[in-house]
């Protein structure tokens, strides 16, 4: 399953809930809800970093009013979760007992599926 996007700030382990975009020609930093996809030249931020962001002198910050919420799971996330649950629910093939004679024998020359074992020449 895909892991959630993380905050772009160095060493921040928190989940991203906002996206920071710089609009250079307007000297503006825009902090809005998390974009659907990670884009180049944007930065994903956790809530504390989104709330405390400051812009360079002379720049404005336009910040989303309201709560930043984690994105809902995507269809890909739900499908991956369902597949993981199905895989975990599959019965495990029984293991042969430890005393099985085949486990203790040396391999014998012969045919094994689509491969053929050729005995060494002496």
């Amino acid at each position: 399953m895909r892991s959630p996007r993380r905050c772009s700030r160095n060493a921040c382990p928190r989940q991203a809930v906002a996206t920071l975009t710089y609009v250079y020609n307007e000297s503006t930093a825009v902090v809005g809800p998390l974009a659907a996809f990670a884009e180049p030249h944007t930065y994903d931020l956790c809530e504390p970093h989104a709330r405390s962001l400051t812009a360079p002198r002379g720049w404005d910050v336009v910040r989303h009013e309201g709560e930043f919420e984690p994105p809902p799971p995507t269809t890909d996330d739900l499908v991956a979760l369902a597949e993981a649950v199905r895989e975990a629910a599959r019965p495990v093939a029984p293991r042969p007992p430890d005393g099985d004679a085949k486990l203790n024998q040396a391999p014998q020359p012969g045919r094994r599926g689509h491969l053929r074992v050729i005995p060494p020449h002496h």
Side-chain angles (χ1 to χ4, degrees):
M1 181 169 10
R2 189 180 68 205
S3 61
R5 285 163 39 197
R6 297 283 174 209
C7 183
S8 297
R9 292 290 185 115
N10 284 341
C12 182
R14 292 186 282 265
Q15 181 178 3
V17 296
T19 297
L20 166 63
T21 306
Y22 288 108
V23 183
Y24 292 98
N25 62 348
E26 296 180 19
S27 299
T28 303
V30 180
V31 180
L34 187 64
F37 300 99
E39 297 285 337
H41 311 296
T42 64
Y43 304 89
D44 293 338
L45 300 174
C46 64
E47 186 162 5
H49 284 125
R51 298 265 178 233
S52 65
L53 178 88
T54 59
R57 185 175 295 151
W59 282 56
D60 294 319
V61 175
V62 175
R63 200 177 317 268
H64 168 73
E65 295 295 326
E67 297 299 313
F68 289 111
E69 296 185 19
T74 65
T75 303
D76 292 344
D77 293 336
L78 296 174
V79 168
L81 179 60
E83 288 174 0
V85 168
R86 272 195 294 273
E87 184 69 28
R90 283 193 185 139
V92 178
R95 292 183 59 188
D98 289 338
D100 191 332
K102 285 189 176 185
L103 290 178
N104 297 326
Q105 289 180 352
Q108 299 296 314
R111 189 145 175 90
R112 301 281 189 264
H114 69 285
L115 302 175
R116 182 180 305 190
V117 178
I118 301 174
H121 293 289
H122 292 289

